[in-house]
Each structure stands twice: as structure tokens, then as C-alpha cells.
Amino acid sequence: NQREESIEDQLREVGKYCDREGHIIVATYTDSALTGRTTKRHGFTKLIGDSASGSFQAVVVYKGDRFARDRTDARIYKRLLADNGVKFISITENFGEGPAAIFGEAMAEAVAEWYSVNLAADVMRGHMGNAGKCIHNGGTPPLGYDLTPDRKYYVINDFEAAAIRLIFDRYVDGYSYGDIIDELNSLGHKTKAGRAFGNNSLHELLINEKYKGTYIYSRRENKYKSRNKRSNRTYKSDEEIVRVENGIPA
């Protein structure tokens, strides 16, 4: 729920700058709702690739941290741009020329990385506090649950809960995934995303501890734990996971 300058705001300000300086914008590269702590961004990757084409002479950003929030990434990819003959311009940061400019830019990159890491720690601390109170920590609740109007606590969605009970009953009775899926779909049940059921959606439901009334949080590793490597499918050890028995309606 942090609001930084939106992409539209940034494009508008960059456009004003380019008009004022007599630059012609030949392309725009954007990545919506993705952190600058990773380079695995489609727009960013395309920008770096296109910089070797000779089709533009400068990259203009609203602020340096819109380009990268990792100091190593910032150095590597700014150097790559420079090697391709492309100048890097931040319209809200003027570091000038010479040794002082090098120092100023390096400090700005360090502050950007510190801010991002510190914000992530603050958010996690808040989430852990919520978890201790069995408060929903964002995202979509699993099938069978809705949230109270203040979006804090889990409540049972009766129609969806019927599908959950059917899944567990049939599974215990030895029905195959295919048989269960066919019955769910024939009765008009959908996944939380409104799609027809498939094997993967059944597996995730069957291993979800919330259905027995256990509030659970922080089960998987952070997807940016390893630099630029998604690891959010890796489960944490039991002692790292927040579990509150009877924390939500079973």
C-alpha cells in the first residue's frame, strides 16, 4: 500500500524534461508492480538489449532507483549502457561531473538499496505482528474463505466450503483427482480465480492447513531471498513458520 510515483506520473515528468531539453523520445520501457531489486523485469531486460542497437543515445529515468535498487545491478547495467554509447540521465538527480559526481551517484545507489531492504524488513515485522493476532496479511484468501469487511479476519464462504468438504470427503474415500475434478465442475464449483478445477489446484487445497483451523503464515521462502533467483516454492523449516492452532474457523 505504499504509493510512490506512478508510471504515468514518471512518464509525464520525463516527457516534460525531454521537451525542455530538446530530446526526442523514441521508445518507453516500463515494468508495473515489480521491484527494482531484481533485473528479471521484461521492460528492463528489453531496454538493456535494445541499448546495443544504436537506436537511442540516452536512457532517461525519473529517478535512479527506478532503474535499479541493487547497487551491483546499477553499476553493472549503467556500465553496459555506457559501453553501448548510451548516456544515463536521472531527471530528479543532478550529480554534475568529476569525482564528486561519482561519489554522489554511488551514495544515491546505496541509499536506494538501503531503503528497499529496510522497507522490506519493516513490512515483514508488521506482517509477523499481524500473524500473531491471526490477521490476514494480504493476497486472496483460499477457496472456502472470505474476509470480514475490514479485510482482517477469515470467515467461511458457505458455497465454497461445500466444495472443500467434497474434495476432502472424496479424497479420503479413494476417489482419483480426475473423478473429484469432474464432480466439482459438474456442480458448478470454480477455483478462487473463477476457473475450472485442475490437478494442481486440488493438490494445493489438500495440503492447506487452514482448513483444519490453523492460521499459517510465512510458509515459503521469500522469492527474492537469493539475488535474482525466485525461491518462493521452497518451504521453510517448521520453526520458521507461524502457526496458530484454532486461529481461524475450520
Side-chain angles (χ1 to χ4, degrees):
N1 292 325
Q2 300 286 325
R3 187 198 182 279
E4 297 184 271
E5 294 80 8
S6 70
I7 288 176
E8 291 75 17
D9 293 340
Q10 293 175 55
L11 290 174
R12 183 179 63 252
E13 293 304 316
V14 167
K16 289 180 182 177
Y17 172 87
C18 290
D19 286 343
R20 187 166 63 248
E21 298 296 321
H23 301 320
I24 298 171
I25 298 175
V26 296
T28 60
Y29 300 84
T30 63
D31 289 297
S32 179
L34 290 172
T35 176
R37 289 175 64 191
T38 175
T39 58
K40 288 191 175 181
R41 295 173 274 153
H42 175 73
F44 181 87
T45 302
K46 191 170 189 313
L47 163 68
I48 298 301
D50 289 352
S51 70
S53 68
S55 59
F56 51 83
Q57 289 72 51
V59 169
V60 185
V61 299
Y62 178 78
K63 193 176 180 182
D65 62 9
R66 306 298 85 189
F67 182 73
R69 275 188 165 171
D70 180 287
R71 286 170 296 164
T72 303
D73 288 340
R75 290 290 88 211
I76 289 172
Y77 290 100
K78 285 179 182 178
R79 168 56 61 187
L80 199 154
L81 291 177
D83 290 346
N84 288 335
V86 176
K87 185 178 180 181
F88 181 85
I89 300 171
S90 168
I91 67 172
T92 57
E93 299 161 319
N94 183 7
F95 300 112
E97 302 290 340
I102 296 172
F103 178 77
E105 188 171 8
M107 288 300 296
E109 290 166 357
V111 168
E113 183 172 359
W114 170 84
Y115 172 82
S116 184
V117 173
N118 191 61
L119 177 61
D122 285 346
V123 169
M124 178 54 70
R125 190 159 45 245
H127 282 185
M128 295 301 282
N130 285 344
K133 303 171 187 174
C134 299
I135 293 175
H136 178 63
N137 262 320
T140 303
L143 189 73
Y145 290 104
D146 289 327
L147 297 173
T148 53
D150 58 7
R151 295 192 61 78
K152 283 189 175 183
Y153 300 103
Y154 291 92
V155 292
I156 292 176
N157 177 312
D158 290 330
F159 180 73
E160 293 179 357
I164 297 300
R165 295 187 183 103
L166 186 151
I167 291 168
F168 278 91
D169 287 343
R170 297 295 184 267
Y171 184 76
V172 168
D173 289 341
Y175 282 64
S176 70
Y177 273 21
D179 291 337
I180 299 171
I181 288 168
D182 288 344
E183 186 171 357
L184 288 168
N185 292 335
S186 69
L187 293 172
H189 288 291
K190 302 287 185 183
T191 66
K192 202 69 173 181
R195 303 189 184 99
F197 279 89
N199 287 351
N200 289 339
S201 46
L202 279 197
H203 176 72
E204 288 298 316
L205 293 173
L206 286 166
I207 64 171
N208 194 331
E209 297 177 53
K210 287 188 173 76
Y211 295 126
K212 63 179 183 178
T214 301
Y215 178 96
I216 186 165
Y217 177 68
S218 195
R219 187 174 60 164
R220 290 175 173 171
E221 294 286 6
N222 187 291
K223 62 184 176 181
Y224 297 112
K225 184 177 181 180
S226 299
R227 185 171 170 269
N228 288 343
K229 293 181 180 178
R230 290 182 177 272
S231 56
N232 59 325
R233 293 188 178 277
T234 303
Y235 291 105
K236 294 181 178 180
S237 60
D238 282 348
E239 58 267 21
E240 295 179 282
I241 300 172
V242 176
R243 283 187 175 89
V244 182
E245 301 295 334
N246 302 313
I248 61 175

